[in-house]
Amino acid sequence: MSDLRFVSYAEFGQQFFDRAVTARRVLGAVDLLAGQPIDVGPLGVGPGRLVRLTARGSIGRAGIAEVPGDWIAYRVELPVSLAFEVDLGIEVQRFKARLRVPLVLSARACEGLKVFIDVRPPDPGEITVDLEAQGLRASVLNKVADVEGEVRRFVARYVARELEKPHVKAARTIDVAASVDAAWERIAPTAPSPTAELITDDLEKAIGDEDWDGA
């Protein structure tokens, strides 16, 4: 016992969160989105929604950085690649886009000894877009039809919706109680202990040798 340092429940809880909620685990909760295809449209954009936008792309693997503060939180950036077309009715203009979608993930303690990785949905204005228009007409069209803004809004809605899917929410939940129970099952004795048998034998012998009549 001399090598043990006793701490308060509060300090124990802080140490537990620091150890359990690592960047690797948090990243695993959102990396389920990596490789997810994005299929947009056709959507009406621009004045009167007469221009039709169609896009195809995918989500890449996220990057992560710790957010300093009292809470355990991380900032994750999801890279998104898109190739899309804008149909004017008489001709089609093509674009390519690279987006960075920021997410802030924080660890929340839940009843039942669970930890939930809470995610603040992305705001369209926080998404950065590197848009490459294929030709002069496409560059002009981008300003007229607000293609970039429409792409931001769609991707924000898409990522928020994906994060709420059951398998993603399950990955964002750490069931500590279940892990403790499983660990205890592995270390708890499943057969009679040899030490317990020796103690029982010694006790029976001691009882047998006792001079009960002289008590």
Side-chain angles (χ1 to χ4, degrees):
M1 298 288 287
S2 60
D3 60 338
L4 295 178
R5 185 178 75 87
F6 296 106
V7 298
S8 67
Y9 288 155
E11 186 175 349
F12 181 91
Q14 184 63 53
Q15 290 182 12
F16 167 78
F17 266 83
D18 291 340
R19 182 70 176 267
V21 188
T22 61
R24 179 179 59 83
R25 290 192 174 100
V26 171
L27 197 58
V30 295
D31 254 352
L32 292 176
L33 300 180
Q36 284 284 95
I38 296 179
D39 192 347
V40 184
L43 298 174
V45 299
R49 300 288 175 175
L50 299 177
V51 177
R52 311 299 291 176
L53 181 147
T54 304
R56 303 288 182 273
S58 63
I59 298 175
R61 299 190 69 84
I64 190 169
E66 189 171 358
V67 177
D70 295 333
W71 297 91
I72 297 178
Y74 294 90
R75 178 184 173 88
V76 172
E77 282 198 347
L78 291 175
V80 177
S81 298
L82 288 178
F84 54 95
E85 298 178 344
V86 177
D87 187 353
L88 303 174
I90 55 175
E91 61 179 336
V92 176
Q93 300 294 327
R94 292 175 174 82
F95 299 80
K96 290 183 180 179
R98 290 180 295 275
L99 300 87
R100 307 291 295 184
V101 183
L103 303 172
V104 176
L105 291 79
S106 55
R108 303 287 299 275
C110 302
E111 191 175 19
L113 206 57
K114 294 181 180 180
V115 177
F116 184 68
I117 307 301
D118 198 15
V119 183
R120 179 172 61 83
D123 184 90
E126 298 173 324
I127 298 175
T128 60
V129 180
D130 181 9
L131 190 65
E132 179 184 342
Q134 306 296 300
L136 179 59
R137 289 188 181 182
S139 298
V140 174
L141 177 64
N142 177 42
K143 294 179 174 58
V144 173
D146 188 25
V147 173
E148 186 176 311
E150 197 64 45
V151 170
R152 277 197 181 99
R153 287 186 286 273
F154 171 81
V155 170
R157 290 194 302 268
Y158 176 87
V159 171
R161 186 173 64 246
E162 290 296 310
L163 288 170
E164 291 304 310
K165 287 188 174 179
H167 70 285
V168 178
K169 291 188 73 172
R172 291 161 52 198
T173 304
I174 304 172
D175 193 337
V176 180
S179 298
V180 170
D181 290 343
W184 181 254
E185 288 295 327
R186 290 195 296 271
I187 64 176
T190 57
S193 168
T195 304
E197 291 181 0
L198 289 175
I199 293 174
T200 301
D201 291 343
D202 290 345
L203 180 61
E204 290 178 350
K205 185 175 182 304
I207 293 175
D209 292 343
E210 184 69 34
D211 184 8
W212 297 99
D213 293 335

